[in-house]
Amino acid sequence: MKQKGTLWRWRARRYIQAAWVTLGLAAVLGLVEPFFGDIPPVSPFLLGVMFAAWQGGFRVGLFATLLSVLAHWLFFHPPGRFPAILDAYEGPRILMLLVMGGALSRAIAHLRMAERRALALSLRQARRLERELAERGRVAEALSQSEERYRAVVEDQTEVIARFTPDGTLTFVNEVYCRFFGKSYGELVGHKWHPRAVAEDVPLIEAKLATLSTAQPVVSLENRVYSGAGRIHWMQFINRGLFDAEGGLLGVQCVGRDITGLKQAEAELRESQERLTLALEAAEMGVWSWDVLTDAVYWSPECFRIYGYPEFDGTAAAFGRLLHPDDAGAVWRAVERALAGIDGYAVEFRAIRPDGRVVWLSKRAQIGRDPEGRPLRMVGTVQDITRRKEAEAERESLQRQLQQAQHMEAIGRLTGGIAHDFNNILASILGYTGLALDRHVPDPHGKLADYLRQIKTAGERARDLVAKMLAYSRDGEARALPPLAPGPLVAEVIGMLESVMPPGVEVHADLDPTVPDILIEPVDFHQVLTNLALNARDAIGKAGRIDIVLRRAWVDAGCAACHRRVRGGFVELSVADSGAGIPDEVLSRIFEPFFTTKPLGKGTGMGLPVVLGIVHHAGGHILVESPPDAGAVFRLLFPPTPREAAA
């Protein structure tokens, strides 16, 4: 609306201006007509139309033409002649003038429009040219500023920057490059970079640069160079190829930084890691970590050696499958307590290797937590402590052996002393009883004779007990033991036992006739087997089975009496029964003198101690196996004679 009002005001000014000009010209002609005669009306008409068309266009020119005609007739002709406009002379002439005025006005309007268009075009071209010039100025200024910034950036960098041609000739270097290599710009540009690199690294550099292409425009290099001070530095160069439109290499721009400190730190880190690895290997210790959130487990190479596995899928579940079933619960409980922050993580457990061997391991770890205290990871060590555990077991075994030896030695000395003293007393009792029977009893069938015979019988029983005590304590001179073939003697004892076994007890024998000879007195061997067989009979009761086996055996176990580790080849004599077995609380005391589980008057408690004394005197050992409710097995191990052992 505002633009339309402005247009109407502009048009009104043009009409008013045309009216003033036309009326002014008509008035001037009216004043001068008396001096020049009759002036044709076309003169003011043409002047007014030309001015109006030039200033206002066709419409304004047409308006000026009509106004000029009316003014002419009003100023120069009386009112009586006004109708003469339509006469034969004036009417056509005025109409022709109107047409000519309109055409002239339109032509002038077209000329003016063309002029305006040409002027507008010239103005637009001038403005466009002005804008282009301004834009070019801004581009040139921006380019200049960009170059200044680029140069400032290049010169202010701490990295060395250079450009060189494919043959290695330097075309540009920054100030840092000059300072680093101790050369001026003129001493570097135009020369090759090769002298500043260590000669051994030049072939590698050239080989890497030869791989530059449009597909691989950037190559990273780490090589050694000589600084301006003559020292060798490690540098990392990022080389970018510059290519033409056809992909040909025009040059290379490289940016390098000094990584000597980084290389030294890496070397120190490698050396530290090597020392740590050697220390861990020497301690047979591995490093592991467990990411609690992702369940990822990391093993160091030493862990693989400790666990005996060449590969590992890296999960906690896979680790759990390596644990001994009896120790798995304790390990996971320790993990849970450590994650909960109750205890630190330190546990000893058994693991099973792929070959079935059981090893003892010790694990310790620290817990990494987030700021809220939630566990994130466990990092720790694992160490093979199998040898330590075996040494501890050996030490405990030796301790038990020492205690047992001291205990048995004390009992043996006590038993030997009692046996000697008691033997002297028995000798007097038996001697005087015999004399009384022979010399002072008038009636050999009387009560006095019967009393003395009862005393003598009791004394003989006491003498047999003393003999057993002496056999246990082995008090006396050491005797050389003769070699004995055990097979025939075992068969002889089995034949004798059939007469003392209840009808419901079966005796089965499995005798290897090829077993080697052993060193033992025949009487002692006979007594040992008899004692074990009678104990088996008592353990069975009225019905059961006794198995007697004589064979060769390879043994690696602990002696039930002296608790020593027994390892090697032996002649084994075993007696197994189908009785109720031996309770654990009794098993540890069966070789103590005078200890018995039989009712009072049924046993002396010297049977197994005598067996132990005889077997140990022969250089053997005793193994006892008694599973719950599965009877008992006594395995007597006798070393073969030296000649048989050598064979």
Side-chain angles (χ1 to χ4, degrees), residues 5 10 127 138 195 263 300 481 507 509 586 599:
W10 178 81
R127 289 170 183 162
R138 286 194 296 272
K263 284 291 185 179
S300 69
L481 299 176
V507 179
V586 175

Side-chain angles (χ1 to χ4, degrees), residues 397 555-561 563-566 622-624:
S397 176
V555 179
D556 185 5
C559 179
H563 303 290
R564 294 180 183 176
R565 193 72 181 176
V566 181
I622 301 177
L623 306 182
V624 181

Side-chain angles (χ1 to χ4, degrees), residues 501-512:
M501 291 295 172
V505 177
E506 299 178 359
V507 179
H508 294 267
D510 182 9
L511 309 180
D512 182 2

Side-chain angles (χ1 to χ4, degrees), residues 316-389:
F319 163 73
R321 291 192 291 270
L322 310 180
L323 300 177
H324 193 283
D326 296 341
D327 297 348
V331 172
W332 291 121
R333 284 192 297 271
V335 171
E336 293 172 358
R337 292 177 65 85
L339 294 179
I342 301 174
D343 292 326
Y345 185 71
V347 63
E348 294 181 356
F349 60 94
R350 289 168 292 176
I352 303 175
R353 287 185 171 179
D355 57 2
R357 182 189 172 198
V358 177
V359 294
W360 275 95
L361 304 178
S362 173
K363 290 185 70 175
R364 296 178 179 272
Q366 295 291 332
I367 312 296
R369 303 179 183 274
D370 61 12
E372 286 74 26
R374 292 186 294 267
L376 298 177
R377 66 183 60 84
M378 293 180 68
V379 180
T381 60
V382 59
Q383 186 176 15
D384 187 347
I385 59 171
T386 304
R387 288 198 295 269
R388 191 190 81 189
K389 283 290 185 179

Side-chain angles (χ1 to χ4, degrees), residues 431-475:
Y432 284 114
T433 301
L435 290 175
L437 283 172
D438 293 339
R439 298 181 183 182
H440 302 286
V441 177
D443 184 6
H445 302 289
K447 289 185 178 181
L448 180 60
D450 184 54
Y451 294 156
L452 292 174
R453 281 194 291 269
Q454 291 294 334
I455 294 173
K456 185 177 180 181
T457 301
E460 290 174 350
R461 291 175 58 190
R463 183 183 61 193
D464 294 338
L465 178 59
V466 169
K468 291 181 180 181
M469 294 171 64
L470 290 174
Y472 167 74
S473 64
R474 285 293 158 188
D475 189 11

Side-chain angles (χ1 to χ4, degrees), residues 15-38:
Y15 280 105
I16 294 172
Q17 188 178 15
W20 280 108
V21 171
T22 302
L23 292 178
L25 290 174
V28 171
L29 290 175
L31 292 176
V32 298
E33 185 180 10
F35 300 98
F36 295 97
D38 190 12

